[in-house]
């Protein structure tokens, strides 16, 4: 009997989410292609869905393109977390990473929930991510 009570207590401790915890119904995808503009900008896009973050948190989109030994990381703005699917797009400059060029690459996208303590970030949790092979296409 005592063992059953202890097991129930342990299960409650493991499966009860703390107040303000992130919901598990989050997702993000990356399209199979991206663009490189003539002025030296890389753009990747896709879709995401998320639920309202904790009261002291915000959800932001982060993206990156990896090609050869070069990694270009850039932000995609704040996510609108209402449970519906939304399109996202993120653009990064090739000013300091000129080795990225049209052709095969890997794209990464993440939904990051940022928890604040006052005005300063306290912690960042990745709540969804996607990584896939893409093709970068030159825009004229």
């Amino acid at each position: 009997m005592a063992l059953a009570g202890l097991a129930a207590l342990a299960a409650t401790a493991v499966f009860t989410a703390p107040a303000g915890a992130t919901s598990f119904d989050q997702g993000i995808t990356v399209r199979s292609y991206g663009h490189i503009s003539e002025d030296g900008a890389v753009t990747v896009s896709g879709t995401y869905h998320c639920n309202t973050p904790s009261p002291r948190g915000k959800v932001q989109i982060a993206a990156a393109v990896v090609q050869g030994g070069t990694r270009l990381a850039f932000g995609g703005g704040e996510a609108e977390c209402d449970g519906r699917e939304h399109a996202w797009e993120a653009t990064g400059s090739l000013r300091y990473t000129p080795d990225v060029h049209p052709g095969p690459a890997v794209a990464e996208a993440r939904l990051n929930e940022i928890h604040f303590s006052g005005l300063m970030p306290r912690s960042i949790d990745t709540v969804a991510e996607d990584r896939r092979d893409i093709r970068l296409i030159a825009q004229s």
Side-chain angles (χ1 to χ4, degrees):
M1 183 78 156
L3 187 56
L6 184 57
L9 181 60
T12 302
V14 171
F15 296 112
T16 302
T22 300
S23 168
F24 292 104
D25 187 20
Q26 324 284 1
I28 191 164
T29 64
V30 178
R31 284 200 179 116
S32 60
Y33 59 90
H35 296 283
I36 299 179
S37 66
E38 286 183 10
D39 66 350
V42 173
T43 302
V44 293
S45 59
T47 61
Y48 73 89
H49 67 275
C50 55
N51 291 317
T52 304
S54 64
R56 287 186 263 176
K58 292 187 182 271
V59 176
Q60 293 186 336
I61 299 167
V65 172
V66 181
Q67 193 176 53
T70 303
R71 178 183 178 84
L72 173 63
F74 42 95
E78 192 169 322
E80 182 179 350
C81 292
D82 57 8
R84 293 185 284 201
E85 186 169 276
H86 297 276
W88 68 269
E89 182 176 276
T91 301
S93 172
L94 293 177
R95 184 174 184 182
Y96 300 110
T97 53
D99 293 338
V100 176
H101 54 82
V106 173
E108 302 170 352
R110 289 184 311 280
L111 283 177
N112 291 325
E113 185 172 347
I114 302 171
H115 304 275
F116 290 91
S117 177
L119 297 175
M120 299 300 295
R122 178 177 44 92
S123 65
I124 299 174
D125 294 319
T126 298
V127 296
E129 59 187 332
D130 188 21
R131 178 182 169 97
R132 69 169 40 202
D133 293 333
I134 67 165
R135 176 155 297 280
L136 292 174
I137 302 166
Q139 283 184 318
S140 357

